[in-house]
Amino acid sequence: MTSIANIVNDNNKEEEKKCEICYYLLEKKEIQRNILPCGHLCCSYCMNEYLKAQLNQYYIAKIKCFHYDCSTILSDDFLLSLIKEQSLKEKFDDMKRRRIVISSSNMKFCPYPNCNGYLEKRGDKYVKCQNGHKICYECLKEWHGRSQCNETITKEFQLWKKNKVVKACPKCKMYVEKYEGCNYLMCIQCGYKW
């Protein structure tokens, strides 16, 4: 006689053999599976595609498990062990660097357009990013010597945002551009949603 507990256990064993994203059976030897720290299971192809989507969107906040009902944050070391493509590894390293800059009180991003450098304050207002831009750390403008910081945003930024929908994130104050979709916004720097 088969008990209800045996039927439930048999069903759970069957589910464990499937990728929880594409539902492909993982019992075949050529399919590599990934077991996340939270216990969720997926094939390496789906996990790679999930990570690629997160990194291509430059989602800077910590990456969570793919399961809609799971809030487990995946460690940087675990994620790095899953990434095979060199271009994704570089994006991942850039994401980690951005997270460090955002969380630091002594660091800011370089305001120059298309510059991915950052500024680190070491006492004086004069700082230089990794790409050689000379910046005032206080007003984030080109170094202006001994003159007072100007409180207005640079002319280049004003021209850039003139015909765009640009809002400052309520949490981290980074500017976010809305270029398509609904009114829902999410800051790619800190993950805040509004």
Side-chain angles (χ1 to χ4, degrees), residues 58-74:
Y58 259 85
Y59 184 66
I60 303 302
K62 293 278 190 175
I63 296 176
K64 295 182 180 181
C65 170
F66 61 84
H67 196 273
Y68 73 95
D69 201 23
C70 183
S71 60
T72 301
I73 294 174
L74 305 176

Side-chain angles (χ1 to χ4, degrees), residues 19-177:
C19 170
E20 293 182 44
I21 298 176
C22 68
Y23 295 105
Y24 192 80
L25 288 176
L26 296 174
E27 58 191 16
K28 297 184 178 181
K29 290 182 181 175
E30 71 270 8
I31 303 294
Q32 184 181 358
R33 59 177 144 184
N34 295 304
I35 301 173
L36 276 59
C38 54
H40 289 110
L41 183 70
C42 67
C43 66
S44 57
Y45 176 78
C46 287
M47 190 65 198
N48 188 54
E49 291 301 307
Y50 173 71
L51 292 176
K52 194 183 292 186
Q54 295 293 310
L55 295 172
N56 284 338
Q57 293 174 19
Y58 259 85
Y59 184 66
I60 303 302
K62 293 278 190 175
I63 296 176
K64 295 182 180 181
C65 170
F66 61 84
H67 196 273
Y68 73 95
D69 201 23
C70 183
S71 60
T72 301
I73 294 174
L74 305 176
S75 73
D76 289 346
D77 292 335
F78 178 76
L79 292 170
L80 198 54
S81 72
L82 298 176
I83 298 172
K84 306 297 183 223
E85 297 174 33
Q86 185 61 32
S87 62
L88 286 181
K89 285 185 181 185
E90 290 169 6
K91 280 188 178 183
F92 184 78
D93 289 340
D94 189 43
M95 180 190 76
K96 283 183 6 181
R97 184 182 57 82
R98 286 175 175 268
R99 202 181 308 137
I100 290 168
V101 172
I102 289 169
S103 63
S104 173
S105 61
N106 292 346
M107 299 169 91
K108 294 179 182 178
F109 290 103
C110 179
Y112 268 76
N114 301 321
C115 180
N116 60 359
Y118 61 91
L119 313 168
E120 189 169 2
K121 187 173 183 183
R122 296 191 175 130
D124 193 17
K125 291 190 331 182
Y126 171 79
V127 289
K128 210 178 199 184
C129 82
Q130 293 75 24
N131 297 320
H133 300 123
K134 299 170 185 171
I135 307 290
C136 172
Y137 191 83
E138 299 299 319
C139 66
L140 292 179
K141 294 192 177 131
E142 193 169 310
W143 179 243
H144 48 75
R146 296 184 185 267
S147 62
Q148 294 295 323
C149 295
N150 189 349
E151 301 266 333
T152 60
I153 299 175
T154 61
K155 292 178 183 177
E156 293 87 12
F157 183 72
Q158 287 291 357
L159 288 172
W160 173 80
K161 79 173 207 168
K162 188 174 184 178
N163 295 320
K164 295 174 175 44
V165 179
V166 178
K167 301 279 184 187
C169 171
K171 186 175 179 185
C172 71
K173 307 300 181 217
M174 280 300 259
Y175 286 98
V176 178
E177 178 187 6

